[in-house]
Amino acid sequence: MTTLSRDGYQWTAGAGLTKGVPTIGLIEPSSNTTGQDEIYDLIVVGAGYAALTAARDATTSGLKVLLLEARDRIGGRSWSSNIGDYPFEMGGTWVHWAQPQVWREICRYNMRSELEVSPDYTSGCNTFSLFTTAGGQHAHELTHHEEDALLISSIGKFFDVDGRQGQTLMPRSHDEFHNKAVLAYDDLTAADRLDQIKDELTGKEEAALKAWLLLMSGATLETSSFYEHLHWWSLCEHSYKGAIDFLIKYKFRDGQSAFALKFWNEALSTGNLHYLFNTPISSITDTPDLTTVTSTSGTIFKARKVISTVPLNVLSTITFSPPLPDLKAQAIATGHIQQTTKLHAEVTNTDLRSWSSINPSAKLVFAFGDGTTPAGNTHIVSFGASSKKLDPEVDIEATKKALTNLTPMEIERLVFHNWSNDEYAKGAWFFPGKGFITKYLEALRESHGNVHFANSDWAVGWRSFIDGAIEEGGRAAMEVVRSSREKEVAVR
């Protein structure tokens, strides 16, 4: 059943701009308990993939769990709006078997055959639009082979700090500090590294590389961490092919919310999951024997343990008692810089199914055909960065113009979720400024008394990705389950 969430926006010529879009991830009824009079084994704060994994693993281990979520739906920053039997991915989208946590869950839920290829250049215009700015803006119509060649060359130069495409510096992406020499590179921004290789790049290479970096970071070249770009590159096996295959090739035919529901339904089937949606929290107070979570409405919930899956940029809205350690508090105060605009368009131009665009100086730096809707139209997905921030709901005409400036298109529908203006996200996927990871990563991962912290924002593997969220949720749940079992043994 598809019902309307408060989240997201949709625009059509007939209905204009409307807030709230349909999703199969909306949970009704919104609660199955008041939660007030019980003492739970565990309270999980949130309902994204970290929270869903933690709740599932804890409930299947026999713990009595209360899940509290501020939204009306599951999925957090990875959810789909199902419009006319077609999923528009509002946040995290792509998955791959190179992402080990994701692939384990896809196999667990027998969803291997439910993936489809995302960008497909086998038919249509097969055109790559590249915009350069040297001596004024110029539009170039190239092939996808030329697009790949530009990116392979320029990205390779960007990461070749050791003569081996970064492989010597970060040979193990899931043990990123293995070579201590890599730590020094957290003192560089993307702009710093670009300045080091500026004489090696052609104008087209520079434009393609800048847009790629803006797409990944959602920030500016002057603020985004070179180190974190290097970590992503290592995750992709230090290759452009790996980046394309692992990051944007495969997605779920029925959308991310269909995947998230598998976690939810398994947890619910245990009978150990209690939940309240539309319940934002204001504070977490911990004592040796009992932890309390207070909602913004003043309701108090009690448990022996808490797992907070609140994103980094939102943790500052929660009061912790006793106060968090200095390094963790500093990391929260600093936050991350990712402010991507992700915009979907349904257009009547069928040939654009195989079109892509790069424009580092535009409000939408990357765009490409990402599917065909049941109506036979082309689905375009596009991304902007904070360097030229686009708030689609503020000015729809300007938003449409940002798309048509890339290539002529007849827009029938726009769908989006403005993550920057979302009070429960305050930004899209995690991306840090320089110096952040080497200083704060371990502090962010540490528990605080009976309060555990799990979020993709500080995963050690696929940080910022769905895989990282599952990694973190599983880790936190294991810590809680182990502690509960140790306590039972001690009582006996």
Side-chain angles (χ1 to χ4, degrees), residues 228-246:
E228 191 70 353
H229 283 294
L230 183 61
H231 183 239
W232 282 40
W233 185 241
S234 178
L235 286 165
C236 296
E237 297 184 343
H238 306 91
S239 76
Y240 173 73
K241 185 181 186 305
I244 295 299
D245 287 353
F246 302 171

Side-chain angles (χ1 to χ4, degrees), residues 19-262:
K19 190 175 189 313
V21 294
T23 178
I24 60 175
L26 187 137
I27 301 301
E28 291 184 326
S30 60
S31 68
N32 66 352
T33 180
T34 63
Q36 288 180 260
D37 300 324
E38 301 284 341
I39 296 179
Y40 296 89
D41 296 314
L42 172 66
I43 292 175
V44 175
V45 180
Y49 276 111
L52 293 174
T53 304
R56 181 202 63 192
D57 290 359
T59 55
T60 56
S61 296
L63 299 189
K64 185 178 180 181
V65 175
L66 173 65
L67 181 143
L68 303 174
E69 167 57 45
R71 305 183 191 277
D72 54 14
R73 57 170 183 81
I74 60 173
R77 288 174 287 180
S78 297
W79 69 290
S80 49
S81 174
N82 303 74
I83 300 173
D85 294 324
Y86 184 85
F88 292 90
E89 296 290 6
M90 308 298 277
T93 302
W94 295 280
V95 296
H96 194 276
W97 44 89
Q99 298 165 352
Q101 314 296 332
V102 159
W103 193 246
R104 181 193 65 210
E105 302 299 342
I106 287 173
C107 292
R108 179 187 186 118
Y109 295 123
N110 198 26
M111 297 180 73
R112 297 183 305 280
S113 63
E114 297 181 32
L115 301 180
E116 65 180 17
V117 173
S118 191
D120 182 359
Y121 299 147
T122 58
S123 62
C125 68
N126 287 298
T127 298
F128 166 52
S129 302
L130 174 68
F131 297 82
T132 57
T133 56
Q137 188 170 84
H138 302 280
H140 309 270
E141 190 169 291
L142 306 174
T143 67
H144 292 301
H145 288 301
E146 291 171 313
E147 175 186 16
D148 289 343
L150 279 173
L151 287 166
I152 289 169
S153 176
S154 59
I155 294 172
K157 292 173 183 177
F158 184 76
F159 288 116
D160 196 20
V161 289
D162 55 1
R164 295 191 63 229
Q165 300 289 304
Q167 294 179 63
T168 303
L169 276 176
M170 196 181 292
R172 305 181 186 181
S173 57
H174 286 61
D175 183 14
E176 57 192 293
F177 305 148
H178 175 73
N179 180 359
K180 301 302 181 185
V182 77
L183 301 180
Y185 287 85
D186 207 10
D187 291 333
L188 296 178
T189 66
D192 293 332
R193 177 58 185 157
L194 275 169
D195 190 58
Q196 292 176 353
I197 62 168
K198 61 183 179 182
D199 295 334
E200 303 175 36
L201 300 171
T202 67
K204 290 179 181 178
E205 285 178 336
E206 182 182 12
L209 176 58
K210 283 182 175 179
W212 175 274
L213 298 172
L214 291 170
L215 168 66
M216 299 302 169
S217 68
T220 67
L221 300 173
E222 293 73 24
T223 56
S224 61
S225 162
F226 171 69
Y227 175 94
E228 191 70 353
H229 283 294
L230 183 61
H231 183 239
W232 282 40
W233 185 241
S234 178
L235 286 165
C236 296
E237 297 184 343
H238 306 91
S239 76
Y240 173 73
K241 185 181 186 305
I244 295 299
D245 287 353
F246 302 171
L247 301 183
I248 61 168
K249 188 167 185 179
Y250 295 104
K251 61 180 182 177
F252 289 107
R253 187 175 295 109
D254 295 324
Q256 278 292 338
S257 291
F259 188 39
L261 278 170
K262 299 290 188 180

Side-chain angles (χ1 to χ4, degrees), residues 34-36 43-46 66 68-70 276 278-286 290-303 305-306 308 310 315 317-321 424 451:
T34 63
Q36 288 180 260
I43 292 175
V44 175
V45 180
L66 173 65
L68 303 174
E69 167 57 45
L276 288 124
N278 308 305
T279 309
I281 72 164
S282 60
S283 66
I284 298 175
T285 301
D286 183 38
L290 193 68
T291 304
T292 60
V293 176
T294 304
S295 72
T296 55
S297 65
T299 306
I300 296 175
F301 308 96
K302 305 179 185 71
K305 299 280 186 179
V306 169
S308 166
V310 175
L315 276 171
T317 67
I318 299 171
T319 300
F320 291 89
S321 180
Y424 305 125
V451 182

